[in-house]
């Protein structure tokens, strides 16, 4: 049975990917430093799949710990989620983001190559495109100057990987996520924002649950159909499945170059007001919200051209916005 290391495997996207890996017959070992999640996520994974993945609490900034992890373990591939990911926090604490997101990546790659681990899936983001000049966004769209240290760590991560694949026997797929939302249908795992949610959907569901007073809609003066900003919201389970398709491409040697990039989205854009209306439809609730000023650094619109991922990965998003919002609300209700 092939063994896959999932770093950040107790996080939002990581935990859903661990479930899909186990469902696909892989043995999984998780590294997580528990800085932005809870150990109980392990129980949720086991409740869904009947399998408790190996778990090692480890900080990837600890170079020796990373090297020791690989001793005596045979790892066939790595899916690397572990990183700090709050855009606003990254502006306040850039060094935390550069040390964690870049330092960890370098130590992980060195340890992998020292132990003959040659397949690597990198968690990247559509944020590397900034405000793209053309929509939908293709993988050839230019990478623009990052709006935040968080976004910069994704760009730098991709550049490091390109350099390393040129110099070493390493095969990489960078998946550029659009906006992951929703939760597993069982509501046993989902998004666990610790503190005040930065992202739209957790704020929507916490407002509906009465945890937040009202949702602030950041601006309705964008050049879009209804003035609110447009994003490509992809169900986290569809996103998780894209990782399995990408991993199998590498393990089976079907990759056409040593570093490949794929946009992972639905290909459909939805405005904030459209998301609110969809949530009200699936929940049967009226959501309290107020239009306020734009949030600094936000772009007007982003949605993916997914034709390359569809063709090369044989993957396509199967769930829609209503499915994702329904699952997010079910998860919120279960986690009062
Ligand atoms: C979505 C839309 C907001 C909150 C970021 C990162 C990206 C990824 C996902 C990590 C925007 C609006 C939001 C709120 C609002 N993160 N909004 N009120 O900014 O597109 O992407 O998170 O991997 O890399 O860049 O996602 O969910 O924060 O915002 O009106 O309370 O909802 O203005 O238009 P974003 P988001």
């Amino acid at each position: 049975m092939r063994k896959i290391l999932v770093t950040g495997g107790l996080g939002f996207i990581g935990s859903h990917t661990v479930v899909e890996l186990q469902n696909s017959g892989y043995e999984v070992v998780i590294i997580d430093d528990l800085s932005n999640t809870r150990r109980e996520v392990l129980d949720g994974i086991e409740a869904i799949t009947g399998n408790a993945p190996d778990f090692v609490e480890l900080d990837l900034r600890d170079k020796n710990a990373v090297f020791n992890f690989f001793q005596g373990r045979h790892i066939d591939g790595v899916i690397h989620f572990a990183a700090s990911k709050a855009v606003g926090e990254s502006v306040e604490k850039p060094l935390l983001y550069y040390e964690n997101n870049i330092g960890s990546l370098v130590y992980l790659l060195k340890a992998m190559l020292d132990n003959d681990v040659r397949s690597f899936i990198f968690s990247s983001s559509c944020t590397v495109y900034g405000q793209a000049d053309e929509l939908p966004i293709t993988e050839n769209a230019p990478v623009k100057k990052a709006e935040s240290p968080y976004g910069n760590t994704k760009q730098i991560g991709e550049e490091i990987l390109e350099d390393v694949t040129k110099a070493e026997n390493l095969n990489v797929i960078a998946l550029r996520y659009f906006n992951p939302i929703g939760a597993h249908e069982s509501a046993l795992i989902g998004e666990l924002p610790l503190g005040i949610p930065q992202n739209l959907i957790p704020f929507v569901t916490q407002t509906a649950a009465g945890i937040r007073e009202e949702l602030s809609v950041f601006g309705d003066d964008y050049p879009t159909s209804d003035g609110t900003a447009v994003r490509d919201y992809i169900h986290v389970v569809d996103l998780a499945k894209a990782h399995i398709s990408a991993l199998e491409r590498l393990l089976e040697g079907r990759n056409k170059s040593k570093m490949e990039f794929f946009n992972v989205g639905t290909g459909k854009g939805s405005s904030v007001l459209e998301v609110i209306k969809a949530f009200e439809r699936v929940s049967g609730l009226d959501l309290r919200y107020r239009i306020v000023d734009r949030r600094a650094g936000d772009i007007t619109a982003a949605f993916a051209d997914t034709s390359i991922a569809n063709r090369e990965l044989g993957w396509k998003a199967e769930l829609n916005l209503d499915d994702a919002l329904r699952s997010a609300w079910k998860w919120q209700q279960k986690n009062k």
Side-chain angles (χ1 to χ4, degrees):
M1 186 188 274
R2 285 178 153 172
K3 189 163 197 173
I4 306 300
L5 165 60
V6 180
T7 73
L10 293 185
F12 174 40
I13 307 167
S15 56
H16 287 82
T17 302
V18 169
V19 164
E20 297 308 324
L21 281 167
Q22 291 186 323
N23 288 345
S24 302
Y26 291 94
E27 194 181 342
V28 176
V29 53
I30 291 170
I31 283 177
D32 205 298
D33 67 0
L34 298 178
S35 63
N36 192 26
T37 185
R38 292 201 286 258
R39 187 186 291 265
E40 288 77 16
V41 172
L42 265 178
D43 303 332
I45 294 170
E46 184 177 4
I48 293 168
T49 65
N51 261 331
D54 285 348
F55 169 59
V56 176
E57 183 177 351
L58 188 155
D59 183 336
L60 290 171
R61 291 171 298 185
D62 178 344
K63 184 176 179 179
N64 293 331
V66 176
F67 279 75
N68 292 337
F69 168 84
F70 283 90
Q71 303 312 310
R73 275 192 176 89
H74 177 76
I75 299 288
D76 294 288
V78 176
I79 304 181
H80 180 48
F81 293 104
S84 303
K85 61 151 215 158
V87 173
E89 182 188 48
S90 78
V91 175
E92 290 154 25
K93 302 175 184 169
L95 280 178
L96 170 81
Y97 275 67
Y98 288 116
E99 184 195 37
N100 190 31
N101 295 7
I102 305 303
S104 300
L105 175 64
V106 169
Y107 292 153
L108 179 61
L109 291 171
K110 285 168 70 79
M112 281 173 60
L113 293 172
D114 279 3
N115 289 276
D116 203 22
V117 182
R118 309 281 174 197
S119 297
F120 188 75
I121 307 289
F122 181 61
S123 168
S124 190
S125 170
C126 63
T127 207
V128 303
Y129 299 116
Q131 177 56 67
D133 300 324
E134 289 175 39
L135 294 172
I137 304 173
T138 69
E139 287 82 354
N140 300 322
V143 169
K144 290 199 176 171
K145 178 156 176 31
E147 299 264 345
S148 69
Y150 160 75
N152 204 24
T153 64
K154 291 301 179 183
Q155 291 181 10
I156 296 168
E158 289 187 354
E159 288 166 6
I160 288 171
L161 288 163
E162 286 203 276
D163 289 343
V164 174
T165 54
K166 285 176 189 148
E168 302 277 356
N169 173 10
L170 177 72
N171 293 291
V172 173
I173 289 179
L175 296 180
R176 290 173 173 168
Y177 310 154
F178 281 70
N179 287 58
I181 64 168
H184 190 267
E185 63 187 359
S186 65
L188 289 165
I189 55 175
E191 195 166 5
L192 272 178
L194 305 181
I196 299 176
Q198 298 302 304
N199 293 126
L200 178 64
I201 303 310
F203 211 108
V204 164
T205 59
Q206 288 191 15
T207 301
I211 298 168
R212 305 291 163 198
E213 187 59 32
E214 69 177 10
L215 169 74
S216 297
V217 174
F218 296 144
D220 68 348
D221 58 349
Y222 285 99
T224 63
S225 57
D226 60 20
T228 61
V230 170
R231 297 290 185 275
D232 182 334
Y233 296 98
I234 176 169
H235 196 299
V236 66
V237 171
D238 276 331
L239 178 57
K241 289 178 178 174
H243 290 77
I244 313 307
S245 303
L247 176 71
E248 289 178 344
R249 180 178 174 90
L250 291 187
L251 294 179
E252 293 163 15
R254 287 187 277 111
N255 51 311
K256 293 175 180 167
S257 66
K258 295 178 75 181
M259 173 116 193
E260 294 181 312
F261 302 87
F262 297 106
N263 286 345
V264 185
T266 66
K268 183 179 180 310
S270 302
S271 73
V272 177
L273 287 177
E274 285 168 342
V275 169
I276 291 171
K277 294 210 174 6
F279 181 79
E280 291 182 327
R281 186 170 60 246
V282 302
S283 65
L285 298 171
D286 286 333
L287 194 75
R288 286 171 57 83
Y289 67 89
R290 174 195 308 266
I291 308 289
V292 301
D293 290 341
R294 293 184 179 191
R295 177 173 66 179
D298 275 358
I299 59 167
T300 298
F303 52 93
D305 177 322
T306 60
S307 50
I308 295 183
N310 301 155
R311 185 181 71 237
E312 295 299 327
L313 295 182
W315 167 90
K316 188 169 176 51
E318 294 158 3
L319 299 164
N320 62 31
L321 180 65
D322 283 17
D323 298 322
L325 292 172
R326 198 173 293 115
S327 67
W329 180 228
K330 185 179 173 189
W331 161 253
Q332 179 68 61
Q333 289 177 294
K334 198 155 183 292
N335 287 275
K336 286 259 181 280

